[in-house]
Protein backbone atom coordinates (compact mmCIF):
# COMPACT_ATOMS: atom_id res chain seq x y z
CA UNK A 1 0.00 0.00 0.00
CA UNK A 2 2.75 2.46 1.00
CA UNK A 3 5.97 1.04 -0.45
CA UNK A 4 8.06 3.97 0.80
CA UNK A 5 7.08 3.01 4.35
CA UNK A 6 8.19 -0.58 3.84
CA UNK A 7 11.73 0.31 2.69
CA UNK A 8 14.48 0.86 5.20
CA UNK A 9 16.15 4.16 4.50
CA UNK A 10 19.90 4.52 4.25
CA UNK A 11 19.65 8.30 4.75
CA UNK A 12 21.77 9.75 7.53
CA UNK A 13 19.61 11.77 9.89
CA UNK A 14 20.56 14.79 11.94
CA UNK A 15 21.37 12.79 15.11
CA UNK A 16 23.83 10.46 13.36
CA UNK A 17 25.33 13.38 11.45
CA UNK A 18 25.90 15.35 14.68
CA UNK A 19 27.43 12.31 16.36
CA UNK A 20 29.83 11.76 13.46
CA UNK A 21 30.68 15.37 12.62
CA UNK A 22 29.76 17.52 15.66
CA UNK A 23 26.97 19.99 16.39
CA UNK A 24 27.95 22.42 13.61
CA UNK A 25 26.89 19.75 11.08
CA UNK A 26 23.29 20.58 12.07
CA UNK A 27 23.53 23.81 10.05
CA UNK A 28 21.74 23.86 6.70
CA UNK A 29 18.78 21.94 5.34
CA UNK A 30 17.16 19.47 7.76
CA UNK A 31 18.08 15.80 7.30
CA UNK A 32 15.60 13.22 8.55
CA UNK A 33 16.32 9.51 8.41
CA UNK A 34 14.12 8.87 5.40
CA UNK A 35 10.36 8.41 5.50
CA UNK A 36 9.92 8.76 9.25
CA UNK A 37 7.51 11.11 11.05
CA UNK A 38 9.79 14.11 10.61
CA UNK A 39 10.41 13.74 6.87
CA UNK A 40 7.91 16.50 6.02
CA UNK A 41 10.26 19.01 7.63
CA UNK A 42 12.65 18.32 4.72
CA UNK A 43 10.24 19.97 2.27
CA UNK A 44 9.89 16.75 0.27
CA UNK A 45 6.68 14.83 -0.38
CA UNK A 46 6.77 11.58 -2.35
CA UNK A 47 10.31 12.37 -3.50
CA UNK A 48 9.32 15.81 -4.91
CA UNK A 49 10.88 18.96 -3.44
CA UNK A 50 8.20 21.54 -2.65
CA UNK A 51 9.98 24.49 -4.29
CA UNK A 52 6.66 25.93 -5.49
CA UNK A 53 5.73 26.42 -1.85
CA UNK A 54 7.12 28.94 0.64
CA UNK A 55 10.90 28.84 1.00
CA UNK A 56 13.31 29.91 3.72
CA UNK A 57 15.66 32.84 3.25
CA UNK A 58 18.26 30.32 2.07
CA UNK A 59 15.94 29.09 -0.68
CA UNK A 60 15.05 25.72 0.84
CA UNK A 61 11.51 24.35 0.88
CA UNK A 62 12.05 22.54 4.16
CA UNK A 63 13.37 23.37 7.60
CA UNK A 64 16.73 25.12 7.44
CA UNK A 65 18.96 25.40 10.51
CA UNK A 66 20.54 28.86 10.40
CA UNK A 67 22.25 29.08 13.81
CA UNK A 68 23.96 26.57 16.07
CA UNK A 69 25.55 27.73 19.33
CA UNK A 70 26.22 26.10 22.68
CA UNK A 71 22.75 25.18 23.98
CA UNK A 72 20.89 26.98 21.18
CA UNK A 73 19.63 26.29 17.65
CA UNK A 74 17.57 28.44 15.31
CA UNK A 75 15.74 27.22 12.23
CA UNK A 76 13.51 28.69 9.55
CA UNK A 77 10.51 26.62 8.52
CA UNK A 78 8.33 27.39 5.49
CA UNK A 79 4.70 26.46 6.23
CA UNK A 80 4.14 24.33 3.15
CA UNK A 81 0.85 22.64 2.35
CA UNK A 82 2.17 19.35 3.75
CA UNK A 83 2.54 20.98 7.21
CA UNK A 84 -0.93 22.56 7.27
CA UNK A 85 -4.17 21.48 8.89
CA UNK A 86 -7.60 21.84 7.26
CA UNK A 87 -7.65 25.54 8.24
CA UNK A 88 -4.50 26.30 6.22
CA UNK A 89 -2.35 26.86 9.31
CA UNK A 90 0.51 24.91 10.89
CA UNK A 91 -0.80 21.58 12.18
CA UNK A 92 -0.49 21.08 15.95
CA UNK A 93 1.14 17.70 15.44
CA UNK A 94 3.76 19.32 13.27
CA UNK A 95 4.39 21.87 16.04
CA UNK A 96 4.98 18.95 18.41
CA UNK A 97 7.43 17.44 15.91
CA UNK A 98 9.28 20.78 15.69
CA UNK A 99 9.51 20.91 19.51
CA UNK A 100 10.84 17.34 19.54
CA UNK A 101 13.42 17.92 16.80
CA UNK A 102 14.65 21.37 17.91
CA UNK A 103 14.83 20.29 21.55
CA UNK A 104 16.98 17.34 20.50
CA UNK A 105 19.14 19.52 18.25
CA UNK A 106 19.72 21.97 21.13
CA UNK A 107 20.83 19.08 23.36
CA UNK A 108 23.18 17.84 20.64
CA UNK A 109 25.02 21.18 20.84
CA UNK A 110 26.01 20.23 24.40
CA UNK A 111 27.17 16.71 23.53
CA UNK A 112 26.68 15.41 20.00
CA UNK A 113 26.75 11.80 21.24
CA UNK A 114 23.79 12.19 23.64
CA UNK A 115 20.47 12.84 21.87
CA UNK A 116 18.52 11.27 24.74
CA UNK A 117 15.05 9.75 24.75
CA UNK A 118 11.87 11.73 25.31
CA UNK A 119 10.23 11.45 28.71
CA UNK A 120 7.93 14.48 28.62
CA UNK A 121 6.83 17.05 26.07
CA UNK A 122 4.19 19.78 25.95
CA UNK A 123 3.13 22.57 23.62
CA UNK A 124 1.09 25.75 24.00
CA UNK A 125 -0.50 27.25 20.88
CA UNK A 126 -0.77 31.04 21.05
CA UNK A 127 -1.49 32.12 17.47
CA UNK A 128 -1.75 30.40 14.06
CA UNK A 129 1.15 30.14 11.63
CA UNK A 130 -0.44 30.70 8.23
CA UNK A 131 0.31 28.61 5.19
CA UNK A 132 2.92 30.21 2.95
CA UNK A 133 4.67 31.98 5.84
CA UNK A 134 8.21 31.23 6.95
CA UNK A 135 8.43 30.91 10.71
CA UNK A 136 11.47 31.00 12.99
CA UNK A 137 11.89 28.28 15.62
CA UNK A 138 14.42 28.62 18.44
CA UNK A 139 15.45 25.76 20.69
CA UNK A 140 17.26 26.36 23.99
CA UNK A 141 18.73 24.06 26.61
CA UNK A 142 17.30 25.17 29.95
CA UNK A 143 19.16 22.62 32.09
CA UNK A 144 21.63 19.95 31.09
CA UNK A 145 22.39 17.30 33.66
CA UNK A 146 23.90 13.86 33.92
CA UNK A 147 20.58 12.02 33.60
CA UNK A 148 18.14 14.59 32.13
CA UNK A 149 18.10 17.47 29.67
CA UNK A 150 15.40 20.16 29.65
CA UNK A 151 14.68 22.30 26.59
CA UNK A 152 12.28 25.02 25.50
CA UNK A 153 11.31 25.75 21.92
CA UNK A 154 9.60 28.91 20.69
CA UNK A 155 8.03 29.53 17.28
CA UNK A 156 7.74 33.08 15.88
CA UNK A 157 6.28 34.62 12.73
CA UNK A 158 8.33 36.91 10.47
CA UNK A 159 7.34 39.95 12.56
CA UNK A 160 8.51 38.36 15.81
CA UNK A 161 5.05 37.45 17.14
CA UNK A 162 5.18 34.40 19.42
CA UNK A 163 3.08 31.61 17.86
CA UNK A 164 3.77 28.58 20.06
CA UNK A 165 5.99 27.39 22.87
CA UNK A 166 7.06 23.91 23.83
CA UNK A 167 8.96 22.11 26.55
CA UNK A 168 10.82 18.88 26.00
CA UNK A 169 12.51 16.72 28.62
CA UNK A 170 14.87 13.94 27.58
CA UNK A 171 16.62 11.24 29.57
CA UNK A 172 20.18 10.12 28.90
CA UNK A 173 20.23 6.36 29.53
CA UNK A 174 23.58 4.94 30.56
Amino acid sequence: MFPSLLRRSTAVGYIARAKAHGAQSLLGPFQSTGERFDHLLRGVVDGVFLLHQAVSSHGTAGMDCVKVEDGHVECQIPITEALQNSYGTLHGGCTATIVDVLGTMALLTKDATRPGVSVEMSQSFLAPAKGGEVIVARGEVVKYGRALGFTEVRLFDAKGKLLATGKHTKAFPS
Side-chain angles (χ1 to χ4, degrees):
M1 181 173 193
F2 295 102
S4 65
L5 298 177
L6 300 176
R7 293 190 306 258
R8 277 215 80 104
S9 173
T10 58
V12 176
Y14 70 99
I15 293 172
R17 195 171 68 196
K19 184 176 183 179
H21 304 290
Q24 290 300 312
S25 68
L26 297 171
L27 284 168
F30 178 70
Q31 296 293 314
S32 69
T33 52
E35 300 300 318
R36 306 227 193 258
F37 70 96
D38 59 2
H39 80 280
L40 290 176
L41 294 176
R42 291 184 306 173
V44 177
V45 176
D46 294 330
V48 177
F49 283 93
L50 302 173
L51 293 177
H52 64 282
Q53 299 281 336
V55 295
S56 72
S57 65
H58 291 142
T60 60
M63 186 169 83
D64 194 20
C65 190
V66 296
K67 185 187 285 186
V68 174
E69 298 172 347
D70 185 36
H72 175 85
V73 294
E74 182 173 310
C75 297
Q76 295 179 350
I77 306 164
I79 308 305
T80 61
E81 189 174 338
L83 305 182
Q84 296 172 31
N85 58 25
S86 60
Y87 298 104
T89 60
L90 181 63
H91 192 284
C94 187
T95 301
T97 298
I98 292 167
V99 169
D100 182 14
V101 170
L102 264 78
T104 301
M105 290 172 90
L107 289 170
L108 289 170
T109 69
K110 296 299 228 176
D111 183 342
T113 65
R114 291 179 22 149
V117 294
S118 298
V119 294
E120 184 176 24
M121 194 167 71
S122 65
Q123 298 80 42
S124 294
F125 307 98
L126 309 172
K130 296 176 181 73
E133 291 183 330
V134 177
I135 64 169
V136 174
R138 295 184 183 118
E140 296 276 344
V141 175
V142 176
K143 184 172 184 343
Y144 187 79
R146 221 176 356 194
L148 294 172
F150 300 85
T151 66
E152 288 184 355
V153 177
R154 290 183 162 86
L155 282 63
F156 300 89
D157 70 9
K159 295 178 182 174
K161 179 179 180 182
L162 185 60
L163 304 173
T165 62
K167 294 184 179 200
H168 191 196
T169 305
K170 297 191 90 174
F172 305 120
S174 40

